[in-house]
Amino acid sequence: MLTTEDFTHFPLQMWEKVLSKVKKAVVFLDDRCAEALHWNGGAAALLEAGARNLKQFSSFEACSVNEPKAVFVVSTLLKGRTVDIIKDIISLSHFQYCVVFTTVAHSVHLLANNVTGEMEGNPVFEQFEEKLCEWMGNMNYTAEVMHVPVVFAPVSQQLVVLPTFAHLFPLLSPDLDTINAKRPEKKKFGSLSDVDIHSLPAELQIEVKSLASVLNSMFEATGTREESFAVGPMSRLIAGELASHPQAKNRRKAAPNKASIIFVDRTMDLTGAVGHHGDNLVERILTVLKPLPGHVTDVQVDMLELTSLQRTPHSQNTLAPGCLAQTQPSAARSLWEAMLTSKHKESVMEVRRQLVEAASKEKLPIKMSMGRVTPEQLCSYVQLFRSSWGALESHCGVLQLGLATAQTLRHPGLPRWDACLAFERLLLQALGDSDFPAVLRQLLPLMKPRGGEDSSSSGSRLGEDECGPDELILLLVYLYSLANEAQPGDQDAEEEEEEEELEKLERELIGALTLVITREAELSPLLQKLTGCANPEELTTERAHSAVEEMFETLRGLSHTRDNLKQLRSVYTASDGVHQATYRPFLRQILEEVFHPDRLECPDIEHMSGGLTDLLKTGFSMFMKVTRPHPSDNPLLFLFLVGGVTPSELRLIREIVTAHKPGTQVLVLSTRLLKPTDIPELLFSTQRLAPDIGV
């Protein structure tokens, strides 16, 4: 019987195909493939397989005369910009042997070239091999082009992310307007649930079909027949593509293993993704530490504590950063697993325990201390290792995780996490007592430039727990995602009056937030993406105002993301006078339905693999009892979160499965591991309808 372990090993098997070709080669990787490799053994895997060097996939890179072989690993179509970069590198080098791996299947290349129907062989790849020989300057040189789905990154035993699809996000109401704008009046879609794959922009169609293709590859390699289920419009499109994939029909007939896969749109529950209620250490690490350049999931850990270097403005450029990724079975790997799925306090205690254990094993002079774990204490333990190179090398994984924890605990931005959490709890209670404009108005007093006269920091740039623009945007997303849960307004008041009041309040908020953003001394990554400006000097008031107005257009639609659901329409439980109002995670509700002992059929979890069989069963069910497939039928369950999953949701999933159906194995697949600020970046992105596919 298949286990989740077979699927976490699958990505390594795919990289083996690349490793078999890299001997004596210079390897060029784009950022997305480099991130996938990072969680599959990293650069060491390529170098151990015989690669001579690794380089960035860039037109500014080239090789010398004594480097005749190149391997390119790209996550895009072999068209447009990708082709230009490969040509530039080859033209500046002296290659005699080129291998190109693309994560995009040949069938998707045919679609991108407007070729319909099946074709024998791989003509697109064969034509590209000829071009490679032309660019190398000799048609007798060797060129190979092939598809390998190296898009999976096994972050933990429970989670596999797909960095290539990190920016794929469910559609929102403004996207429906954009899609409808190009359609005749009589053919406009009434809701996002009506949108079909062929009505999407070409780039997004290719992205969805590529995702379906790599999932099919995974099920094919493991001999799995999947039953697909979907919750949400984008999930329905992806599950539909997987069900109708040309190779899937034959695979399902012969596959010996069975599994269920439920696709869930992140937009079904934005409250959980932007909220600060997740009691998880990794969520905080991802929030406060800088990301590794070119990466979406991992962060930079400052390793200065392990050296004798003095801290200077340039010391960070002197020393390579550490990271969170632990790919080898070890104490560090088990510590990373614990940090990912444990509560914050438990994780911090476990970090200390592992550091103490490692120091004791190496007979280092450690001073034991009980009670509260402090960042200074963790750093003092880590510093013991710098005197012994062998000890440092043996325990470098645990040391990196220990430093990441210490740097997070002492980060000046961490108090704002608790300030946001406190305010979210107040808003949650207020929703049960007031109408939406009254609750929204509570944000106005917070909308003040940081470090202003009436700010707690009086003259300093930032009070420790003072909300900056990033936190204010997160609170807006949090509140708008719950807008439907607010109490209805005065019954006697006209609906138009309420609408006018909300519009007036939104204009005030837009003006106040614009002022906050323009007064920032430095633009955060979120503000840079929101405004399209890299620094405050570029940012005009008009540009900031326009960006905030567009942001509110998107915010207004967030409360309607569950409108088409019949049963799971709310993530909010109002106060009953005894218990406080609470947020009820959407994933909890999904899993409680799936593992319900009575095997109830939930109308919102739509079965997608059935095709004609399902339609016939629907017809027969009108006059006889028909058993439809249920997600709990199979011993292996995949949860695919389209748009990202948070570390605290991973713990929630584990707890629910353990409580309801301990024998079931659950593997979470997702486009990315989320921190709260990722959601506004994805919500307000201009790339949602037109993802970057390298063309």
Side-chain angles (χ1 to χ4, degrees):
M1 188 182 79
L2 272 182
T3 64
T4 53
E5 210 168 293
D6 295 301
F7 288 89
T8 53
H9 285 158
F10 165 72
L12 291 165
Q13 292 164 14
M14 294 301 100
W15 276 103
E16 287 295 334
K17 296 181 182 181
V18 176
L19 298 179
S20 68
K21 295 286 183 181
V22 302
K23 193 171 184 182
K24 296 183 180 177
V26 176
V27 183
F28 296 85
L29 299 110
D30 68 17
D31 284 350
R32 293 164 175 180
C33 290
E35 183 166 8
L37 176 66
H38 178 69
W39 293 94
N40 282 285
L46 290 175
L47 296 171
E48 284 165 14
R52 293 180 64 171
N53 200 355
L54 274 73
K55 296 198 176 189
Q56 188 175 12
F57 182 66
S58 161
S59 293
F60 300 102
E61 293 286 2
C63 291
S64 59
V65 182
N66 64 346
E67 294 173 318
K69 182 180 176 184
V71 173
F72 298 90
V73 189
V74 297
S75 60
T76 49
L77 287 164
L78 300 179
K79 286 188 77 174
R81 190 176 70 246
T82 303
V83 173
D84 293 342
I85 294 172
I86 292 174
K87 184 180 179 183
D88 289 343
I89 294 170
I90 292 174
S91 303
L92 294 166
S93 306
H94 304 82
F95 299 136
Q96 297 172 26
Y97 184 3
C98 277
V99 184
V100 176
F101 291 100
T102 171
T103 66
V104 183
H106 187 265
S107 58
V108 181
H109 276 83
L110 290 176
L111 174 76
N113 288 293
N114 300 312
V115 177
T116 53
E118 289 294 305
M119 294 187 75
E120 279 188 27
N122 296 319
V124 177
F125 291 171
E126 288 159 14
Q127 285 170 21
F128 197 68
E129 286 172 357
E130 288 178 18
K131 280 185 183 177
L132 291 171
C133 290
E134 275 178 42
W135 298 334
M136 285 190 283
N138 188 329
M139 297 307 288
N140 291 320
Y141 285 166
T142 308
E144 296 176 70
V145 178
M146 59 196 87
H147 159 62
V148 179
V150 284
V151 300
F152 298 94
V155 172
S156 78
Q157 291 173 350
Q158 189 190 353
L159 172 68
V160 175
V161 298
L162 292 81
T164 303
F165 302 96
H167 297 283
L168 180 65
F169 199 72
L171 299 178
L172 299 161
S173 48
D175 303 325
L176 182 64
D177 298 334
T178 307
I179 292 167
N180 276 335
K182 297 177 182 176
R183 298 178 68 82
E185 194 61 41
K186 290 183 179 177
K187 293 191 174 180
K188 290 189 188 297
F189 296 115
S191 74
L192 287 169
S193 298
D194 303 325
V195 175
D196 58 48
I197 186 80
H198 305 294
S199 58
L200 299 178
E203 299 95 332
L204 190 52
Q205 281 191 49
I206 286 166
E207 189 92 332
V208 170
K209 287 178 181 286
S210 294
L211 176 54
S213 171
V214 297
L215 290 174
N216 180 70
S217 299
M218 179 180 75
F219 289 132
E220 196 166 300
T222 51
T224 305
R225 174 189 169 175
E226 84 288 357
E227 291 290 349
S228 295
F229 302 84
V231 186
M234 181 60 87
S235 289
R236 192 179 296 112
L237 293 177
I238 297 166
E241 278 304 303
L242 178 59
S244 61
H245 192 277
Q247 295 159 9
K249 199 172 182 181
N250 291 333
R251 166 175 60 77
R252 287 196 200 97
K253 282 179 185 173
N257 305 301
K258 289 184 178 181
S260 300
I261 180 166
I262 307 175
F263 294 89
V264 183
D265 280 6
R266 179 72 263 177
T267 45
M268 295 294 107
D269 184 1
L270 293 169
T271 315
V274 295
H276 294 73
H277 46 255
D279 184 18
N280 184 275
L281 175 60
V282 172
E283 230 160 276
R284 296 178 193 206
I285 292 173
L286 295 176
T287 300
V288 301
L289 299 189
K290 289 180 182 176
L292 275 175
H295 287 239
V296 176
T297 304
D298 211 342
V299 295
Q300 301 179 53
V301 180
D302 186 350
M303 304 295 282
L304 204 68
E305 304 274 2
L306 286 168
T307 72
S308 302
L309 290 172
Q310 295 297 310
R311 190 173 294 281
T312 68
H314 307 291
S315 58
Q316 279 189 317
N317 300 327
T318 311
L319 199 63
C323 62
L324 301 176
Q326 304 300 326
T327 57
Q328 301 303 321
S330 61
R333 178 81 194 202
S334 65
L335 175 57
W336 168 243
E337 297 277 351
M339 289 167 67
L340 203 52
T341 55
S342 302
K343 291 184 176 180
H344 176 84
K345 188 177 177 182
E346 292 167 6
S347 297
V348 173
M349 299 284 279
E350 182 62 16
V351 169
R352 179 171 69 179
R353 191 189 71 77
Q354 291 267 22
L355 284 171
V356 169
E357 199 171 285
S360 303
K361 199 176 281 184
E362 298 295 335
K363 297 184 170 56
L364 296 171
I366 193 159
K367 288 180 183 174
M368 291 294 292
S369 56
M370 303 305 289
R372 187 167 163 267
V373 181
T374 65
E376 293 75 25
Q377 186 189 88
L378 295 179
C379 285
S380 71
Y381 293 163
V382 167
Q383 286 165 3
L384 294 171
F385 289 81
R386 66 183 176 193
S387 59
S388 168
W389 175 250
L392 197 153
E393 193 175 13
S394 299
H395 303 283
C396 65
V398 170
L399 295 174
Q400 287 174 80
L401 295 173
L403 282 170
T405 304
Q407 287 158 28
T408 299
L409 294 178
R410 70 180 175 206
H411 195 279
L414 200 61
R416 296 202 293 280
W417 181 286
D418 296 325
C420 282
L421 175 59
F423 210 80
E424 285 161 9
R425 284 175 175 163
L426 286 173
L427 293 174
L428 209 57
Q429 304 313 314
L431 282 166
D433 304 324
S434 314
D435 60 10
F436 183 63
V439 182
L440 190 59
R441 188 169 290 282
Q442 294 186 29
L443 290 183
L444 259 180
L446 297 179
M447 301 262 178
K448 290 185 181 129
R450 299 205 271 197
E453 287 176 21
D454 50 355
S455 153
S456 59
S457 56
S458 66
S460 71
R461 184 178 176 278
L462 177 62
E464 275 201 339
D465 58 355
E466 190 179 357
C467 285
D470 284 19
E471 288 79 26
L472 294 172
I473 291 167
L474 288 173
L475 287 170
L476 282 166
V477 175
Y478 184 87
L479 199 46
Y480 271 90
S481 72
L482 291 167
N484 278 359
E485 313 291 356
Q487 289 297 306
D490 185 357
Q491 299 298 319
D492 299 329
E494 291 288 329
E495 199 172 309
E496 281 182 25
E497 282 178 31
E498 286 182 25
E499 210 42 55
E500 278 177 28
E501 185 195 350
L502 183 57
E503 280 180 28
K504 185 185 173 191
L505 177 57
E506 284 181 344
R507 283 196 297 273
E508 285 183 63
L509 287 165
I510 288 168
L513 187 55
T514 301
L515 181 63
V516 169
I517 292 170
T518 52
R519 293 282 182 86
E520 282 292 285
E522 196 179 314
L523 298 182
S524 67
L526 172 57
L527 292 184
Q528 288 177 29
K529 286 183 181 165
L530 188 66
T531 61
C533 298
N535 54 63
E537 291 74 38
E538 291 176 43
L539 184 61
T540 62
T541 303
E542 291 75 19
R543 198 161 177 178
H545 193 269
S546 172
V548 175
E549 276 190 324
E550 284 178 29
M551 186 183 89
F552 269 81
E553 283 291 315
T554 302
L555 286 172
R556 288 180 198 114
L558 298 187
S559 62
H560 301 293
T561 54
R562 292 183 297 274
D563 280 1
N564 285 309
L565 301 186
K566 297 176 178 68
Q567 185 178 327
L568 310 174
R569 291 175 64 92
S570 174
V571 292
Y572 178 79
T573 305
S575 169
D576 58 5
V578 178
H579 306 96
Q580 288 190 326
T582 54
Y583 154 68
R584 190 153 183 261
F586 190 76
L587 271 180
R588 175 183 287 281
Q589 297 179 57
I590 290 268
L591 290 171
E592 283 174 355
E593 287 296 322
V594 168
F595 297 130
H596 196 286
D598 295 339
R599 204 176 167 278
L600 300 174
E601 194 171 305
C602 177
D604 298 326
I605 305 173
E606 189 177 342
H607 182 236
M608 298 298 297
S609 303
L612 181 62
T613 311
D614 238 25
L615 290 173
L616 288 169
K617 283 184 177 179
T618 304
F620 284 125
S621 68
M622 295 168 73
F623 51 86
M624 63 183 285
K625 191 175 180 182
V626 170
T627 305
R628 284 197 188 86
H630 192 273
S632 65
D633 287 346
N634 300 310
L636 188 57
L637 173 66
F638 293 93
L639 275 175
F640 194 114
L641 279 299
V642 182
V645 65
T646 68
S648 49
E649 285 173 335
L650 293 176
R651 188 178 83 238
L652 175 78
I653 291 164
R654 177 176 282 188
E655 286 172 356
I656 292 171
V657 173
T658 304
H660 287 76
K661 204 169 180 184
T664 305
Q665 297 208 50
V666 177
L667 183 65
V668 181
L669 298 168
S670 189
T671 46
R672 64 199 293 164
L673 184 62
L674 287 170
K675 58 182 181 292
T677 49
D678 286 339
I679 290 296
E681 285 184 20
L682 293 162
L683 283 177
F684 311 129
S685 168
T686 53
Q687 281 193 333
R688 201 169 45 252
L689 275 175
D692 181 8
I693 54 171
V695 176

